[in-house]
Amino acid sequence: MLTFLRRCLTLAAGAAALALGCLTYLYTQLPDTFMVPQGQTLSLAQMPWIVPLEPKGAAAAQAVPAGGSYNVTLSVLGGIPVKTVRAVVVDRRAVTVCGTPFGIKMFSDGAMVVAFTDIRTTGGMANPAKAAGLKMGDVIVSIDGQKTVDNDDVSAAIQASEGRSVQLVYTRDGAQHTAALQPVQDADTGSWRAGMWVRDSSAGIGTLTFVDNSTGIYGGLGHSISDADTGQSITLLSGEVAPVTITGYAAGAAGAPGELKGRFTGEPAMGDILINGATGVYGTIRRVLDGQDMVVTQAQEVYEGPARILTTIDGQEPAWYDAVIERVSLTEEDPNRNMVLRITDPTLLAATGGIVQGMSGSPIVQNDRLVGAVTHVLVNDPTRGFGIFAENMLASADAAAARKAA
């Protein structure tokens, strides 16, 4: 009998530990805050068995106006509490969904270090930039107190030093630093050099996700514009977006991402760039664009299942292609990897192999509602890629609207 009781207690302890582990896991999968449309009760499409614990949750959702908030305890089937979260009440928003290609022209706020080169001097090879502790991706913002906006500013400051040590101010990972740099004289040309290559501008193509006609702000890409050599996000000084025509594409394959190929049309710019951030590029739009008006889905309403993407692989006209959302994460720390998407459309698979570079920003739609945008392709499987929640992009668009109004 004693042995039997011990076994029962052991099993009970194991079951309790398992239950605690499950609840802990569920807790980590729930964010602290949800955006809930006015008049609706908080519910999770990904986890329909997670529901508000208190019956008054529905009443609270009906009573709180847009802009207000309330606390709600989420539970397993209304019985076992999991986590108390904040529900922020919002209005349902609709935007014009585009899927059209656009060209990006951007100037950085400073000169980014993109490469190093050793200099041959009369005393041997030297690299002043490396000796000063600079790294690729650093952005030089001033030399001896003079602002360096572009490549010419950097070159002029180095030449003006005539070999005298100069003080550089640069940014790295969002923090500002200073360094002393000693230019050297090139034995071949006689000019003073720093041993680094810098870049002050960038250009490329992407996909326009939406235009919010209530604010005149567009959103696109779903990720930041980064330097091609360093991978560092470019600190925006100024920029604009312009019409492009897709002229072809290189199909993707495992280990070799494809890309859309296009050219600027020469038409006037479509808009200005106000924000180059982690969730995409945003700015003012200068003209009315074609598209379909759709309601924006909140993050917790996105579910694993059938979807479509709107993208352009020829000319300027977007087309719909079938896909499946395979995974949804409400707590993903990377702001543009909230979903895993798989392309299932035979036409798109036959043409491009799936997702290729340049499709970033292509709208993702479920049930005729905008749920997000394509952001990255999986390098080893071009049929799959990541997506960002439309909710996140709309929040960034609102930030751009506030900047515009300031």
Side-chain angles (χ1 to χ4, degrees), residues 90-386:
V90 297
D91 286 322
R92 279 286 190 193
R93 300 274 293 278
V95 296
T96 300
V97 176
C98 301
T100 47
F102 69 149
I104 300 161
K105 303 175 183 178
M106 199 173 87
F107 290 91
S108 61
D109 189 11
M112 179 179 289
V113 179
V114 296
F116 294 100
T117 180
D118 292 340
I119 310 300
R120 192 173 73 85
T121 72
T122 55
M125 304 300 290
N127 193 301
K130 284 186 176 180
L134 293 176
K135 296 181 179 180
M136 286 180 59
D138 290 346
V139 178
I140 301 171
V141 296
S142 70
I143 298 179
D144 276 350
Q146 298 296 313
K147 187 172 182 179
T148 51
V149 174
D150 55 29
N151 303 342
D152 292 339
D153 291 341
V154 173
S155 179
I158 296 300
Q159 294 306 314
S161 74
E162 296 183 340
R164 171 181 51 84
S165 177
V166 296
Q167 185 181 59
L168 270 69
V169 177
Y170 64 96
T171 59
R172 178 186 297 167
D173 298 329
Q176 194 169 90
H177 307 271
T178 61
L181 184 144
Q182 179 71 59
V184 296
Q185 193 167 31
D186 191 312
D188 297 320
T189 65
S191 60
W192 297 99
R193 298 181 62 184
M196 61 184 175
W197 294 96
V198 297
R199 181 179 294 137
D200 57 25
S201 62
S202 179
I205 63 172
T207 301
L208 187 66
T209 309
F210 65 82
V211 175
D212 183 353
N213 293 312
S214 68
T215 60
I217 298 294
Y218 70 84
L221 285 187
H223 60 73
S224 67
I225 303 169
S226 301
D227 182 79
D229 292 305
T230 66
Q232 297 291 319
S233 179
I234 297 174
T235 303
L236 175 68
L237 176 64
S238 64
E240 61 183 18
V241 292
V244 297
T245 296
I246 300 301
T247 58
Y249 46 80
E259 64 175 338
L260 296 178
K261 299 179 180 180
R263 58 175 175 80
F264 287 80
T265 65
E267 299 176 55
M270 302 157 53
D272 300 308
I273 301 175
L274 297 177
I275 291 178
N276 174 38
T279 64
V281 56
Y282 304 87
T284 55
I285 201 72
R286 299 179 186 173
R287 66 186 191 187
V288 177
L289 298 180
D290 294 333
Q292 182 178 347
D293 290 347
M294 290 186 181
V295 168
V296 175
T297 292
Q298 303 306 136
Q300 70 272 11
E301 298 173 324
V302 184
Y303 60 90
E304 297 173 0
R308 294 187 298 163
I309 71 167
L310 183 62
T311 196
T312 306
I313 63 173
D314 183 33
Q316 295 180 311
E317 294 298 321
W320 290 103
Y321 299 99
D322 293 331
V324 172
I325 296 175
E326 293 188 324
R327 183 175 66 84
V328 179
S329 174
L330 296 173
T331 55
E332 173 59 55
E333 293 184 2
D334 192 322
N336 46 50
R337 299 194 177 193
N338 307 126
M339 296 173 271
V340 174
L341 182 79
R342 177 168 58 88
I343 303 300
T344 59
D345 195 286
T347 301
L348 188 58
L349 291 173
T352 65
I355 299 168
V356 297
Q357 296 175 20
M359 286 185 183
S360 295
S362 298
I364 305 172
V365 170
Q366 277 186 329
N367 299 327
D368 294 325
R369 290 186 173 188
L370 180 66
V371 302
V374 176
T375 59
H376 299 85
V377 60
L378 296 182
V379 175
N380 292 324
D381 183 2
T383 68
R384 288 178 167 86
F386 292 106

